[in-house]
Amino acid sequence: MFDILCPKNGTYEDVLKSENFLPYGSAVVDFFQQLSKNILQNSNYKKYPEIIALGFWLRKANLIKMQKDVFEKETTKDNIKLARGLVFHIAPSNVDTVFAYSLFVSLLMGNRNIVRVSSQSSLVLDLLITELNDILSLKEFKSLRNNLLIVRYEHNDDTTTEFSLRCDVRVIWGGDQTVNKIRSLPLNTSAHEIVFPDRFSYCAVKSKEFLSLNHPFELTDKFYKDVYTFDQNACSSPRMIFWIGSSEDNQKAQEKFWSCFNEVVESYSGILEQDHSLRKLNSTIITAVTTEGKVKIINGSTNRITRVQFDSLKDVRRDDHCGLGLFYEVCIKDLNELSSFFSSKDQTLSVYGFSNQEISDCLNKGCRSISRVVPIGKALEFDVVWDGYNLFDELTREVSIVS
Amino acid sequence: MSREKYNMSQYLKTIFDKKPYEIATNEKDDLLLREMNELHEFHSKNCKEYKSICRALGISEGEFNSLKEFPMLPVSIFKELDIKSIKDEDVVRILYSSGTTSMKKSKIYLDAMTSANQTKALTTIVNDFIGKNRIPMIIVDSRSTITNKNNFSARAAGIVGMLTFGKDYFYLLKDDDTLDITGLEVFLDKYGSQPIIIFGFTFMVWKYLYQELIKTKNSQVKINLKDKLNNAVLIHSGGWKKLLNEKVDNITFKNILKEELGIKKVHNFYGMVEQVGSVFMECEEGYFHTSNFSEVLIRNHLDWSVEENGKEGIIEVISVLPQSYPGNVLLTEDIGVIHGVDDCKCKRMGKYFTVKGRVEKAEVRGCSDTYELKEVQNYV
C-alpha cells in the first residue's frame, strides 16, 4: 500500500501505538541539534541553499527564540499546551523542504507523524531522508523512531483515507487541486485540518528609497533568490511588484531595477526551457485579452524576464499568472492604495524601503488577506507562523485549568 | 465597434491566380507582406481581442515592414479564448480541434469567405501532387467517423476536406473499427490497376492499413495487394507522437509502406485546425513546403529572434487565409528546421522544412502537488 522511507525498519503499527512527547521535549530538541550540526558541518550540502536554510532553522538558538517569541507568548501560566496526537502531513511535490518543516514543527510540539512525500523522487528529498535515517539509527535517538513515519505512495484514495481516519490533524500542502481532492476524503471526526491552498505573493518597493541605494545589486540578488529558486512557483515568491512613489520616481526606479535585475538573471540562470518561454507568451497574450489591452508587455533582453505592466490595480487578474519569471507591475502613489486591493488568495508581501509603522498602518486600513510581510530576500524563509496560522497553536491543544 | 466584411484584396487575388508553388521568395515576400498588412488592419478594426493584444505589445498604427514583425499568437490561445473578427450571424462553421473530452479544444470561427478560401487553397495545393482529376479513394477510417453528427471531430473535418479529391469512396474500416476485407477486395478488383488516392490520419494508416492488414493478409486477403496498390498515392497527416513511441519515423514509415504494400507515393502534410487550408505538403524529397498561401519562420525561444536556415527552433506559421479570426500568425508548439529556400530538388519554390517533434513539457518547481499537464495540440 505504501513504501516506508524513514525510519529504517519503521512500521505503521509502531507510529499508531507510540506515545506523544511533551512540546519542546528534550529528546526532540537534541535530535534537531544533531541534525542541524550534521547539515551545517557537511560541505556536500553547500550547493543546496534550501538544506542549509533548514540547518539554520534547526539550531538551538532559533528553537529557543521561537519558544519565547511564539510558543509561550500567549500561554497563561495556568493553561498548558499538549501535543494533539497523530499528524498526517501531505507534502507538496516540488518545494522539497516543506515536508521537513511541517514534520519538524509537529515533532517539536510532541506529535507523532505520518508524512506522505511526493511520489516523484528528488535529490534534496533523498539527501534529507538519508540524513534522517542515519541519525535515527543512533542509540540516543531510539525513542524518536516510533514517532515519525515517512511514506511514499502513488495517489491512492484508500491509503489516504486510512491515514485520515486514524489521525488527529491532517495537514495538506500542495495547492487548490490537492486540497480539493484530499478534502473529498473522510477525516476522523475529532481531527483538525490545516490546508495550504494556492497563494499569490507580492513585492512592494518605495521607489525613492530604491533610487538612493548605492549597491542596488545586493537587493536584486536577494530578489532573484526569492523568485527563481522555485521557478517563481513557491506560494511566497513574489509575482507582482508595486512601485510606490511619484510617477517620476517610479519610472526611474523601474528602469534602474530592471537593468540590474536583468544582469543578475542573465548571469545566474541556466537553460531556459522552450516550454517555459511558450507558457509565458501564452500567459501574457491571455492577460492582454482579459484586461482588454490595459497592460504593457515588456520583455527583458531574453525571455527569462517577462514584464506585464498594468495600467491600474483594478485591472490585475491573478489567475492568468504562470510563474517562471513573469512579473506583473503596477505604479501607485501611496502604499495605502493597496489596503483595498488584496484578496483571500494573497499571502506574502516582500517589502523594501518601508518602516514597520507604514506597513501596519496600511494593513490596519483593512487589508483583507496578506498574512506575512518580510524584507526582500526572505520570501522563501519558512516561519512557524505561516499563511495566517500559528503552527505551534494549530499542532497543539490547549488545556485550560480553571481554579 | 464598426464591423465590416473583409474584401478580397488584389494581393490575395494574385496569390490565388498563381500555381501554388511557382512564386519565388522575393516576389512572394512582397505579396504576403502586403496582404498580411491588410489583414492586420482588418483584425485590428474588427476583433477587439486582437486589438487588445496589439495595444499590450505596444504596436502602433501603421504597416509592418517584414513578416517577422507581426505579433505571434500562441496556437493554444484558441483553446482558452473565443476569438473572431466577424459578426455572430456571419459564422457559417465552427472548427474544433480533436482531443479527449477533458481537454480544452480550439474553437475556430469561419465565415463563408474564409471557409471557401480554405477549400480553394487546399484544392490548389493537393492538386499539385495528385493532379486535377478526381480518382477512386480509400479512406483509412470508418464512415461513422464523419456521419456521427453529435461528435463531428477534427478527424472528421479532415476527412471531409479530403473527399473533394476522390470519388467512389471506400472506407477501410467498418463501424466497429475492424477491417472491411471483402470491401477492399471488391474495390481493388475494380480500380486497382489505375491511380487511386488513399487518405488517413498517420496513426490510423499505420495501425490499420499496415499493421492490421498485414496481420490478416496471408490468411484472408486473396488478391495481391502490392500489385493493386502500385499506382496509389497516400496522403496522411496528424502527427507522429504515437508512431515515435514505436520508434517509427517518416523514413521507416515510407519504406515499410513501399515494401509491404507497394505504395510508392506517400505525402505527409503538416497543418492544424487553427490554419486549415494552407497546409504544408511533404514533397518527393521528404520536405514540407510553404505554398503561396503560407510562410514559416523558426523562432529562438530565448528571445523570439528568427533563426537562420539550418537551425532548429519553434515553428511559427503564417497563413493569408484566416479572415474571420485573427489566426494569420501563430506560434506552434512544434520544433522544426528550415533546410532551404526555392532550391528544393522537387522544383517547387518556397521554403522547405522538417518537423522534429513537439516542445517537451518541462518540470516546474513550486508548491503545487499536481502538475497539470497542458493538453497536446492535435492536428487536423
Side-chain angles (χ1 to χ4, degrees):
Chain A
M1 214 155 61
F2 49 85
D3 296 327
I4 292 171
L5 307 185
C6 171
K8 284 176 195 159
N9 306 321
T11 70
Y12 180 37
E13 287 69 34
D14 286 343
V15 79
L16 288 179
K17 275 189 301 195
S18 83
E19 296 288 329
N20 303 335
F21 294 115
L22 286 173
Y24 269 94
S26 60
V28 175
V29 173
D30 291 349
F31 171 69
F32 286 179
Q33 282 289 94
Q34 185 67 49
L35 186 56
S36 171
K37 211 189 272 174
N38 284 15
I39 289 174
L40 297 176
Q41 287 175 359
N42 186 339
S43 57
N44 291 336
Y45 289 135
K46 288 231 168 74
K47 34 180 194 278
Y48 307 104
E50 60 267 55
I51 298 185
I52 299 296
L54 185 65
F56 275 103
W57 190 85
L58 287 165
R59 279 176 316 156
K60 193 160 191 179
N62 186 48
L63 300 182
I64 290 170
K65 187 171 181 290
M66 288 191 295
Q67 186 170 14
K68 283 199 187 122
D69 294 353
V70 187
F71 181 66
E72 288 167 354
K73 197 173 60 179
E74 283 169 7
T75 317
T76 61
K77 247 186 238 159
D78 290 336
N79 288 8
I80 53 171
K81 284 179 181 172
L82 295 173
R84 282 187 183 260
L86 183 64
V87 179
F88 174 33
H89 310 254
I90 294 147
S93 60
N94 292 322
V95 179
D96 313 300
T97 45
V98 164
F99 92 92
Y101 287 110
S102 193
L103 168 65
F104 294 160
V105 171
S106 176
L107 262 182
L108 193 59
M109 292 300 102
N111 295 293
R112 292 167 291 124
N113 302 276
I114 296 171
V115 186
R116 183 216 178 244
V117 295
S118 165
S119 43
Q120 304 163 29
S121 188
S122 93
L123 198 60
V124 167
L125 182 71
D126 294 347
L127 285 169
L128 284 172
I129 296 218
T130 309
E131 192 65 62
L132 284 172
N133 275 330
D134 286 352
I135 301 179
L136 284 171
S137 64
L138 299 175
K139 213 166 53 197
E140 57 260 53
F141 300 119
K142 195 177 163 210
S143 65
L144 264 83
R145 272 179 228 161
N146 295 340
N147 284 28
L148 70 149
L149 192 72
I150 301 176
V151 298
R152 173 177 276 157
Y153 57 92
E154 291 295 330
H155 286 289
N156 176 325
D157 291 352
D158 291 342
T159 310
T160 303
T161 303
E162 163 66 25
F163 295 150
S164 299
L165 290 175
R166 294 294 195 113
C167 71
D168 299 293
V169 185
R170 184 163 71 176
V171 185
I172 311 170
W173 299 85
D176 290 1
Q177 264 185 317
T178 312
V179 169
N180 281 330
K181 174 68 203 152
I182 308 284
R183 269 205 173 146
S184 72
L185 303 174
L187 179 64
N188 177 4
T189 39
S190 61
H192 168 57
E193 188 167 62
I194 310 170
V195 297
F196 297 96
D198 289 337
R199 293 294 182 204
F200 205 96
S201 291
Y202 304 85
C203 176
V205 179
K206 193 187 265 185
S207 295
K208 204 171 180 175
E209 295 292 325
F210 178 70
L211 285 170
S212 67
L213 260 182
N214 290 325
H215 303 287
F217 283 102
E218 283 176 17
L219 193 75
T220 47
D221 259 24
K222 288 178 182 168
F223 186 72
Y224 176 85
K225 290 188 186 88
D226 284 349
V227 172
Y228 284 81
T229 308
F230 295 108
D231 290 337
Q232 208 183 16
N233 274 306
C235 43
S236 56
S237 284
R239 292 179 159 219
M240 174 157 192
I241 307 178
F242 305 115
W243 300 98
I244 298 166
S246 69
S247 21
E248 198 190 337
D249 282 349
N250 286 345
Q251 200 195 328
K252 280 191 199 154
Q254 278 178 296
E255 278 166 24
K256 179 172 166 181
F257 180 90
W258 290 113
S259 129
C260 296
F261 191 59
N262 194 58
E263 222 174 289
V264 171
V265 170
E266 293 305 324
S267 63
Y268 286 166
S269 300
I271 295 165
L272 176 66
E273 300 280 355
Q274 288 175 321
D275 179 42
H276 290 184
S277 290
L278 282 177
R279 288 163 68 150
K280 282 162 73 173
L281 178 69
N282 192 48
S283 169
T284 51
I285 296 291
I286 287 182
T287 303
V289 172
T290 50
T291 58
E292 298 185 338
K294 289 176 195 144
V295 289
K296 206 162 119 194
I297 299 168
I298 309 161
N299 281 322
S301 67
T302 71
N303 289 328
R304 289 194 175 92
I305 295 178
T306 307
R307 298 164 55 194
V308 176
Q309 191 168 331
F310 288 79
D311 291 359
S312 83
L313 280 174
K314 65 179 191 313
D315 299 318
V316 175
R317 283 174 44 105
R318 298 162 177 83
D319 293 350
D320 299 332
H321 203 293
C322 65
L324 308 171
L326 176 63
F327 300 92
Y328 286 1
E329 292 174 84
V330 74
C331 294
I332 52 177
K333 288 215 158 47
D334 191 321
L335 186 67
N336 289 324
E337 291 174 47
L338 294 177
S339 54
S340 57
F341 168 76
F342 292 115
S343 84
S344 60
K345 278 266 160 212
D346 297 330
Q347 189 203 55
T348 298
L349 179 67
S350 306
V351 293
Y352 180 76
F354 297 98
S355 68
N356 283 356
Q357 189 61 47
E358 285 173 295
I359 301 286
S360 55
D361 282 353
C362 163
L363 297 182
N364 280 330
K365 284 204 176 69
C367 266
R368 269 169 291 176
S369 205
I370 281 294
S371 57
R372 185 169 170 257
V373 180
V374 294
I376 288 178
K378 296 196 166 187
L380 299 178
E381 272 184 21
F382 180 78
D383 197 328
V384 75
V385 178
W386 193 261
D387 239 16
Y389 291 121
N390 177 336
L391 292 176
F392 282 164
D393 284 350
E394 301 293 328
L395 292 166
T396 51
R397 60 198 169 88
E398 193 161 339
V399 182
S400 60
I401 302 170
V402 181
S403 47
Chain B
M1 188 181 295
S2 72
R3 296 212 182 240
E4 53 183 69
K5 288 215 173 159
Y6 188 83
N7 293 312
M8 198 155 184
S9 72
Q10 49 166 315
Y11 315 116
L12 193 58
K13 282 192 188 111
T14 313
I15 288 168
F16 269 112
D17 283 346
K18 302 251 182 180
K19 287 184 185 156
Y21 298 102
E22 75 170 347
I23 314 180
T25 294
N26 277 348
E27 192 192 338
K28 193 178 110 177
D29 275 355
D30 186 54
L31 260 180
L32 287 192
L33 180 63
R34 286 164 192 270
E35 177 59 14
M36 290 295 293
N37 271 316
E38 300 260 328
L39 287 160
H40 167 68
E41 198 195 327
F42 173 75
H43 293 307
S44 299
K45 273 192 193 147
N46 293 295
C47 176
K48 71 174 194 310
E49 292 85 1
Y50 186 75
K51 195 179 172 187
S52 297
I53 291 166
C54 291
R55 186 176 169 224
L57 292 170
I59 293 167
S60 45
E61 280 187 26
E63 300 203 332
F64 294 104
N65 296 315
S66 69
L67 288 175
K68 67 179 182 200
E69 294 170 22
F70 288 83
M72 312 180 282
L73 308 195
V75 276
S76 53
I77 68 157
F78 293 97
K79 296 194 169 89
E80 313 271 342
L81 305 165
D82 257 20
I83 309 182
K84 57 180 185 297
S85 308
I86 49 171
K87 292 181 204 155
D88 288 346
E89 60 261 38
D90 290 332
V91 174
V92 297
R93 202 164 164 207
I94 303 174
L95 298 177
Y96 296 94
S97 60
S98 53
T100 59
T101 43
S102 64
M103 290 174 173
K104 284 184 192 159
K105 294 177 183 178
S106 284
K107 209 173 172 188
I108 305 295
Y109 294 90
L110 302 182
D111 63 356
M113 195 196 255
T114 302
S115 181
N117 285 346
Q118 287 179 342
T119 309
K120 215 161 129 192
L122 184 70
T123 308
T124 320
I125 291 169
V126 176
N127 283 348
D128 198 81
F129 288 82
I130 62 163
K132 279 193 174 169
N133 294 329
R134 286 185 157 211
I135 48 179
M137 186 175 201
I138 299 175
I139 296 121
V140 188
D141 218 310
S142 66
R143 188 185 293 272
S144 61
T145 303
I146 58 165
T147 50
N148 186 346
K149 285 266 178 332
N150 295 328
N151 185 20
F152 195 76
S153 61
R155 207 165 101 192
I159 294 168
V160 170
M162 291 302 291
L163 290 180
T164 50
F165 303 104
K167 61 175 185 182
D168 305 329
Y169 311 111
F170 165 66
Y171 292 83
L172 183 65
L173 300 185
K174 297 184 216 163
D175 287 351
D176 62 358
D177 281 355
T178 57
L179 295 180
D180 181 1
I181 297 291
T182 322
L184 180 66
E185 286 176 344
V186 171
F187 181 91
L188 289 179
D189 266 340
K190 196 168 172 192
Y191 302 111
S193 47
Q194 47 176 298
I196 55 170
I197 175 171
I198 307 173
F199 175 73
F201 283 83
T202 310
F203 71 94
M204 296 290 285
V205 170
W206 183 250
K207 186 167 178 205
Y208 293 103
L209 188 67
Y210 166 59
Q211 287 178 328
E212 291 287 318
L213 194 56
I214 291 300
K215 237 189 271 170
T216 48
K217 187 173 81 166
N218 298 331
S219 56
Q220 294 176 33
V221 184
K222 292 176 214 82
I223 52 171
N224 185 334
L225 285 173
K226 270 183 157 177
D227 284 351
K228 299 284 186 187
L229 292 171
N230 204 17
N231 281 319
V233 184
L234 168 69
I235 293 178
H236 67 101
S237 182
W240 290 88
K241 206 177 156 205
K242 285 182 185 161
L243 275 74
L244 289 175
N245 290 342
E246 297 181 38
K247 304 262 182 287
V248 179
D249 62 7
N250 192 22
I251 293 171
T252 318
F253 183 82
K254 287 204 273 195
N255 281 342
I256 286 180
L257 289 173
K258 191 171 160 188
E259 279 162 27
E260 300 288 335
L261 296 168
I263 305 173
K264 289 186 294 236
K265 290 184 183 168
V266 175
H267 300 285
N268 188 7
F269 71 79
Y270 175 62
M272 55 210 77
V273 73
E274 295 83 359
Q275 280 187 357
V276 168
S278 54
V279 295
F280 304 93
M281 287 284 287
E282 177 195 0
C283 72
E284 296 76 7
E285 305 296 320
Y287 297 112
F288 292 122
H289 273 258
T290 60
S291 65
N292 295 358
F293 312 100
S294 62
E295 188 54 287
V296 157
L297 297 173
I298 301 297
R299 294 280 177 177
N300 183 335
H301 73 284
L302 199 61
D303 55 6
W304 299 133
S305 58
V306 175
E307 287 285 16
E308 52 192 84
N309 295 351
K311 287 208 168 151
E312 251 181 59
I314 302 179
I315 301 173
E316 172 186 340
V317 290
I318 298 177
S319 168
V320 294
L321 300 177
Q323 298 171 0
S324 53
Y325 65 100
N328 304 97
V329 184
L330 302 178
L331 189 66
T332 69
E333 293 169 6
D334 298 313
I335 300 166
V337 56
I338 293 170
H339 298 277
V341 185
D342 292 349
D343 59 359
C344 184
K345 283 184 193 143
C346 79
K347 299 281 200 291
R348 290 179 184 86
M349 293 289 114
K351 283 184 185 162
Y352 51 101
F353 65 102
T354 49
V355 178
K356 301 284 178 185
R358 207 162 264 282
V359 169
E360 270 182 56
K361 300 295 166 192
E363 193 205 339
V364 178
R365 290 161 69 100
C367 291
S368 284
D369 182 46
T370 38
Y371 170 39
E372 192 187 349
L373 278 173
K374 282 214 152 180
E375 68 257 42
V376 172
Q377 191 224 329
N378 287 278
Y379 302 124
V380 169

